[in-house]
Amino acid sequence: MAYSTGLFFLLLSTCHGQLVNTLSRSPKISAQKMNQSPSEYTNMRAEFIAGLNNEDVKLSIGELILKYGYPLEEHEVLTEDGYILTMFRIPGKGPVVLLMHGLFGSADDFVVAGPKNSLAYLLANDGYDVWLGNARGNKHSRRHVSLDPAGPAFWKFSWHEIGYYDLPAMIDYSLNMTNRRSLYYIGHSQGTTTFFVMGSERPEYNEKVILMIALAPSAYLSNTNSQATQILARSGGLIKKVLNNNGIYELLSDTPLIRIVKNILCDAGPVADILCNRIVMSLNIFSYTELNATLLPVIFSHAPSGASIGQVNHYLQGIVSGDFRQYDHGPDRNMKKYGRVTPPSYPLAKISAPVALFFSDSDLVCSSRDVYKLRRKLSNCVDMYKIPNEYHFGHVDFIWAKHFRNVIYKRIIKLLKTHV
């Protein structure tokens, strides 16, 4: 996910308890805050409260997969630079499909919507061999052969390293395990960013990808319509420096401390009300027409999953620069690392694997203008699918929308069967 999605997880997960209170208040007052009719809000409130009793809230990703009757394997993958990644597999006899999550996300993102509407389950039902990746630093991949995640050295990476090291390692591992030469790749948000890095910087991996499907493609972001993100982008470097100076190198990890902070903020009265009701609703990265309120408690229990400050800051840099380029370390360090004052742009023309772009005019994070700009840079874009406007797809609707199966999955399966 791009940065606004990460902010969405920060605020929503922090405000889980406050949302329970909000959804229990007068339907008329709360509906006015959310630009809904009282009847619409009453239905949403009832769905949310019903979702609190869903036992999936308490289950891990492995327990979820087994609960719904799917086979499960767990694998460890070692990257060239020593990070130990966890992959989950729902084995099948068909072609391999690798799913990659967004910023602050994890493999959980592709199963929390349940067996009828989750991408991983739907692919498994159609016979595909489904592999669920986890980027370095998230809750499933917090290990290294020598570095301690409690120290700063572990966190010296952005999504560049995820694309350059993690994706190739997971692709090679899954292909070696299945004795196949190529696979399908489906990424959401940051899962698309990292693919574009890999395809540009390690072009030999294009031959190992039959088709790449990009859900909410996140490369160019200067036209993002999220006001909160635009404001944060202009102070990203300062924020990173302040956090690092205070010994903070990761954000929103699934730790006991984060759970304590959630509880504190959820009981903070007016503060929580401002955080949850005003800021969250102003982000507009999901649509109320596609929001499954019953699912929210399950999402909250599985996200956020952690990321480095460098990942967030790299996105913020792109918003300001208007370019899709490597990490900006400052003029002096750039000269040492890149031999130039400014970071080099990713050579997107080197991506020879077929790419399908799924986007929406209602996605305020990845604007249509930026997706069309990306399209012009790609040498082998085989499909441009704009979500019909009547669905108003926001950024996270590409994986959790009520109509995911009809609007997204039907198109995905058609593409997979076309590209063999």
Side-chain angles (χ1 to χ4, degrees):
M1 300 176 196
Y3 181 69
S4 284
T5 311
L7 182 59
F8 164 71
F9 277 134
L10 166 63
L11 296 172
L12 282 187
S13 61
T14 300
C15 302
H16 178 277
Q18 179 64 19
L19 275 170
V20 176
N21 294 333
T22 302
L23 291 168
S24 301
R25 292 176 183 165
S26 164
K28 183 176 182 180
I29 296 174
S30 298
Q32 289 172 351
K33 290 183 178 181
M34 300 171 69
N35 296 318
Q36 292 178 292
S37 69
S39 60
E40 288 174 329
Y41 186 78
T42 298
N43 292 335
M44 177 181 168
R45 177 168 57 95
E47 290 175 1
F48 181 87
I49 293 173
L52 294 172
N53 297 319
N54 189 337
E55 72 170 359
D56 290 2
V57 170
K58 299 178 181 180
L59 300 181
S60 67
I61 178 175
E63 291 169 336
L64 285 176
I65 292 172
L66 293 173
K67 170 189 172 180
Y68 289 110
Y70 294 88
L72 171 67
E73 296 177 6
E74 187 172 332
H75 297 264
E76 289 186 356
V77 179
L78 180 65
T79 69
E80 293 176 30
D81 58 344
Y83 284 82
I84 302 170
L85 314 176
T86 298
M87 296 187 75
F88 298 99
R89 179 191 185 191
I90 303 176
K93 296 181 179 179
V96 174
V97 183
L98 172 58
L99 306 183
M100 199 62 195
H101 60 82
L103 182 66
F104 294 113
S106 71
D108 301 34
D109 296 353
F110 298 107
V111 301
V112 293
K116 295 181 180 180
N117 218 34
S118 292
L119 180 56
Y121 297 138
L122 294 174
L123 288 167
N125 292 344
D126 281 323
Y128 289 92
D129 191 350
V130 183
W131 290 75
L132 304 164
N134 286 288
R136 62 183 63 193
N138 85 3
K139 65 183 180 181
H140 298 301
S141 299
R142 291 174 56 85
R143 290 181 295 156
H144 189 276
V145 294
S146 60
L147 301 176
D148 187 344
F154 180 94
W155 298 99
K156 288 185 178 180
F157 62 84
S158 76
W159 38 257
H160 173 86
E161 285 73 20
I162 297 171
Y164 194 88
Y165 295 111
D166 295 8
L167 293 194
M170 289 187 284
I171 287 174
D172 285 342
Y173 183 91
S174 56
L175 291 179
N176 288 336
M177 287 293 296
T178 56
N179 293 315
R180 294 182 179 270
R181 298 178 61 183
S182 57
L183 51 69
Y184 295 101
Y185 180 99
I186 304 176
H188 174 244
S189 195
Q190 183 188 259
T192 73
T193 311
T194 51
F195 179 89
F196 297 139
V197 171
M198 180 189 71
S200 299
E201 296 295 314
R202 305 190 71 169
E204 66 272 18
Y205 277 88
N206 286 292
E207 297 180 2
K208 300 183 181 185
V209 178
I210 305 168
L211 173 70
M212 183 274 190
I213 296 177
L215 306 178
S218 301
Y220 298 101
L221 293 170
S222 60
N223 290 298
T224 180
N225 291 311
S226 170
Q227 213 168 30
T229 304
Q230 290 283 2
I231 293 171
L232 286 168
R234 281 153 181 77
S235 55
L238 176 61
I239 294 171
K240 180 179 183 294
K241 184 176 181 180
V242 170
L243 291 173
N244 287 174
N245 287 343
N246 286 276
I248 301 173
Y249 304 95
E250 59 176 312
L251 294 172
L252 305 182
S253 297
D254 185 25
T255 63
L257 178 59
I258 289 294
R259 298 186 198 109
I260 292 172
V261 172
K262 290 180 189 179
N263 292 333
I264 292 174
L265 286 178
C266 288
D267 292 333
V271 175
D273 184 66
I274 292 172
L275 285 172
C276 300
N277 298 343
R278 300 181 186 181
I279 300 179
V280 170
M281 299 311 170
S282 70
L283 290 177
N284 291 323
I285 62 171
F286 60 87
S287 65
Y288 291 117
T289 56
E290 289 301 321
L291 175 63
N292 183 349
T294 307
L295 182 62
L296 286 177
V298 181
I299 293 175
F300 296 156
S301 69
H302 287 265
S305 299
S308 74
I309 292 174
Q311 288 169 254
V312 176
N313 200 43
H314 202 169
Y315 275 124
L316 298 180
Q317 290 178 357
I319 292 171
V320 174
S321 71
D323 196 5
F324 182 53
R325 65 188 190 184
Q326 294 196 38
Y327 196 89
D328 190 346
H329 299 277
D332 293 340
R333 290 187 61 190
N334 286 344
M335 281 299 298
K336 293 179 180 178
K337 185 174 180 63
Y338 309 123
R340 49 187 287 175
V341 174
T342 57
S345 301
Y346 290 107
L348 291 170
K350 290 186 177 181
I351 300 176
S352 58
V355 175
L357 304 175
F358 286 48
F359 66 105
S360 168
D361 284 338
S362 300
D363 185 347
L364 300 187
V365 178
C366 300
S367 75
S368 296
R369 291 178 61 187
D370 286 330
V371 175
Y372 284 116
K373 181 177 180 180
L374 170 64
R375 166 65 182 89
R376 292 192 293 271
K377 299 287 185 177
L378 295 172
S379 61
N380 195 14
C381 182
V382 296
D383 191 36
M384 284 280 288
Y385 176 45
K386 187 175 78 170
I387 306 300
N389 288 336
E390 60 263 30
Y391 291 103
H392 306 288
F393 261 46
H395 197 64
V396 299
D397 293 321
F398 286 88
I399 52 174
W400 293 327
K402 285 182 179 179
H403 295 97
F404 173 85
R405 186 167 188 162
N406 288 329
V407 178
I408 297 289
Y409 188 68
K410 281 187 176 180
R411 185 82 171 204
I412 286 177
I413 198 66
K414 181 180 179 181
L415 284 166
L416 296 183
K417 292 181 177 179
T418 301
H419 293 80
V420 295

